[in-house]
Amino acid sequence: MAGVKGPVVVVPERWQPTPAPSVVVGVEAQTATSALEFASERVGQRGGDLVLVRAWEPPTSVSPIGRVYLARDAPRWEHEGQLELDAAIRRVSRELPDLRVRAELRQGRPAAVLQRSGEAAALIVIGRRHRSAVAGSLFGSVGEHLVHDGRVPVCVVPQQLDRPSADL
């Protein structure tokens, strides 16, 4: 998907449409602008809820005994996740005040959190960072996990290069 310029939707082979018109969108500062716009348009066309999901986890380092992080840092990472989620809520509420919006802040790996939040959704929308295929394979990709392991359609929306994503 690295060379694709527009949104890509992948529908699981055994997927059955759901009557729930909700759309789940992953909120992450670097990719949220394009993903929010795409998801908001879909909900606006179909009706339903827009569910903003921000997964967070403290950064870890690998040691001989496993993954390590300082527990005292967890509140800081949760707070930063909440700030990003709040910014996304403000943006959607300002641009589409009649849209029904719910927000979820969850600790955990982003792919797993989005998969759980989107189990009953019509669509999961995430943004795509502009990283190389090599970096994606080394560090993992939320989109790749959702596409391979998901049970609902997933839309991967590339960042728009002509807009800064920091204005979330």
Side-chain angles (χ1 to χ4, degrees):
M1 284 190 259
V4 177
K5 303 247 189 271
V8 174
V9 178
V10 177
V11 180
E13 187 175 349
R14 291 181 176 78
W15 176 71
Q16 294 294 317
T18 176
S22 66
V23 173
V24 169
V25 62
V27 173
E28 192 266 336
Q30 292 182 339
T31 62
T33 299
S34 296
L36 277 171
E37 287 176 7
F38 185 89
S40 297
E41 288 174 13
R42 296 306 160 278
V43 172
Q45 292 168 354
R46 301 181 62 200
D49 295 339
L50 180 64
V51 183
L52 307 177
V53 177
R54 175 61 168 95
W56 70 274
E57 60 181 351
T60 60
S61 59
V62 179
S63 77
I65 60 171
R67 300 184 95 174
V68 178
Y69 76 93
L70 296 175
R72 69 175 185 247
D73 290 341
R76 185 184 80 180
W77 290 101
E78 181 177 18
H79 178 70
E80 288 184 14
Q82 186 65 55
L83 291 174
E84 288 182 16
L85 189 57
D86 291 345
I89 293 166
R90 281 192 304 274
R91 179 181 182 136
V92 171
S93 297
R94 182 178 61 241
E95 294 179 10
L96 298 163
D98 295 332
L99 200 63
R100 289 190 315 247
V101 178
R102 287 188 331 217
E104 299 177 6
L105 178 67
R106 303 272 184 245
Q107 182 178 3
R109 299 191 78 93
V113 168
L114 286 166
Q115 207 163 24
R116 278 192 306 274
S117 294
E119 286 176 345
L123 180 66
I124 298 173
V125 178
I126 61 168
R128 179 177 59 84
R129 293 180 183 179
H130 289 283
R131 69 162 65 150
S132 69
V134 173
S137 66
L138 289 174
F139 302 114
S141 162
V142 173
E144 187 175 325
H145 289 287
L146 291 172
V147 165
H148 290 293
D149 300 332
R151 295 185 189 106
V152 300
V154 175
C155 179
V156 181
V157 182
Q159 268 180 271
Q160 293 192 4
L161 299 176
D162 58 347
R163 280 193 183 154
S165 60
D167 70 337
L168 194 86

